[in-house]
Amino acid sequence: MQADEILEGLNSEQREAVKYNDGPLLIVAGAGTGKTAVITKKIAYLIAEKLAKPSEILALTFTKKAAYEMEERVDIIAPYGYNDVKIKTFHSFAEEFLQENAYYLGFSTNFKVLSDIQQILFVRERIFDFDLKIFRPLSDPTKFIADMLKYFSRLKDEVIEPQTYTDFAQTSADKAQIEAEKEEAEKHLELARAYATYQKMMIASDRLDFGDTLLYMLKALQEKPSLLARLRQTYKYILVDEFQDTNYSQNELLKILTIANLKSQIQNPKQIKNPKSEIQNNLQSEICNLPCPVVTVVGDDDQSIYKFRGASVSNIMAFTEQYPNVKQIVLKENYRSTQAILDASYRLIKNNEERLETKYKIDKKLISATEQGSEPEFIYKDSEQEEAASVAEEIKKLKKQENNYSDFAILVRGNKNALAFTNALSAHKIPFTFSGAEGLFRKQVIKILISFLSILSNPTDNLALFNLLTSEVVGVGYDGLSVILHKVRSTNIPLEEYLRGKVAEINAEERGKIEKALDLLTKFRRESVGKNTGEILYEFLQESDYLKMLSSREKEGSIADAEKIISIASFFDRIRGFQDANLDTGLQKFMEYLDVLLEVGEDAKESSDDPNFDAVRVLTFHAGKGLEFDYVFMAGLIDSRFPGANRSNTFEVPVELIKEKLPEGDVHVQEERRLFYVAITRAKKKLYLSSGRDY
């Protein structure tokens, strides 16, 4: 594709953003202004104009989903055979770097990156190897594991290493005068020691977490000049999408790659165990003179809503101060919403005190490329139930005007706030999907799979067998089997043993179903000796014809069965995660893992985001980011939900150790306003705001 073809269809600001490649560039891309199109076309333009080979371009994104979508778009517009552009999340880029340089950095090439739950299980198994007194209560030794791991992750986001934290905590303890200060210092000293222990254990076990990937990559680039030189020579252009969602460590990685003299500024010699030789010092001097990749970041400070995940809005606010001669391009033409919706969003967001618009005197007021549209409509009823019913009725009315159900979204503040709306949709026979309706392990279809695995591993688990037999997989009558279950409980005979005999209470049809199920159990118990959990479960789903039944009903348009298939796929993802992290992948080990998973409260949420489902989407405000719908209902808008309560974490990083520049003013309210702004700008044709008097 030629450069002129790539630029076709772009407005003047988008075209300028694609063509400018002479230095650092900040693209301030408001909601719906085509930022993804700009960044993908910029990649294609660099290749078409021979400014860089595909392998010399690095694009970094915030989520795997965003990376995948960008990859797809680049594949479409880049010439055939030019798909060597590296498009990664920050963490996957860092993980790949550590894998490639593992031997040189002292890592095992077999290290694994643990998920959140895998980290909890890792620490849980070793909890008594930690020197804990305050945070290992006798009544529940594992009570603080999840909170501690979140805290360690936050420390890594701030590039705070164990020794730095320990030194700070010890100094604070030495200086403490009053009892409250001593108590606080002791808490931090215990957490610092636990952090150091955790890091040592992880490395000794060839394990890393997501925060480690960035922390160790940064440290490697500071201590190994040759590695930094190689990366700076490899990439000519680095592009970052959703820059407002990056945290401090991600921004530091970007800076060390793209600012020529940064290394000497941020390196702390005290943190380096081995002093550099004269050769290394000379090499560092050479690196400072190497040409650095040209950096382009795309983002919008008004859409920074992930502070709870460590995102730092100060990264985008301070970008022009960190790079010399930065060019700013503002994308204002909105291709999504009507002007009435955009005006409403602007009236709200301009109340935030610290924004790029006010800081740099730029105009960020979005201009619609579509139409004026109607003003947002406010639905106010006496009760939450009436509010929800009105929303459902409005959806039903609009559906008759040649709309699909998938054109509608209801946004709620939290999962618990959705019940009235899902009930109202059900009452009006409106199909809907709600990712937060229940955890994965609470879904009926997953309970069936867990029952199968439970009875397979423990033949005396009467309840698991009862649940399996009365499920839609086997289809035995509930009432009749309940009588038998009650009977065997009084005789202390396992239900399976009883059913394998001649039972007068069971008719021929039921007997056939039970015998088939028991035969499968016998077969898979035998095979479980040599096969892993995933293989056993998949074969059971095939031989029981359950997958075939769900697929057939899904093809007939059953949304419920399509969702069951998605849930089963999610459960297999969990099994694969277990198998990737454990040498023993057998059934008994997996059941132990599952028991701990449920005990620590890890009940994964999974969603049905397939756009082919013609169903109303019920989403939380945060989950709505990145999506768009013709009609958006922002529900339950009352005080204490907007702005919501400012909930503090169990452990807070000491202010003295925080490196990011914190915004001025009421940080929490400003973030809440940005979340509301993001929700408003999801709507394309019409926005509804609703609440009830009885809240």
Side-chain angles (χ1 to χ4, degrees), residues 327-354:
K327 185 174 182 63
Q328 290 184 53
I329 297 174
V330 182
L331 305 183
K332 295 193 301 176
E333 191 166 358
N334 176 284
Y335 296 92
R336 177 188 299 153
S337 309
T338 65
Q339 193 61 51
I341 292 170
L342 298 178
D343 289 346
S345 69
Y346 187 70
R347 284 196 296 273
L348 170 85
I349 201 62
K350 69 180 182 180
N351 289 287
N352 268 3
E353 302 157 28
E354 197 169 350

Side-chain angles (χ1 to χ4, degrees), residues 148-178:
M148 281 199 301
L149 288 169
K150 285 179 186 174
Y151 184 58
F152 298 162
S153 177
R154 182 78 181 91
L155 290 168
K156 291 169 188 179
D157 287 346
E158 287 288 329
V159 197
I160 300 168
E161 296 194 59
Q163 191 59 54
T164 305
Y165 186 26
T166 304
D167 291 345
F168 166 82
Q170 188 62 63
T171 302
S172 300
D174 294 340
K175 289 181 179 178
Q177 299 292 323
I178 60 176

Side-chain angles (χ1 to χ4, degrees), residues 70-83:
M70 191 185 297
E71 225 167 27
E72 274 192 322
R73 291 202 187 195
V74 171
D75 278 348
I76 291 168
I77 60 176
Y80 180 75
Y82 282 76
N83 56 354

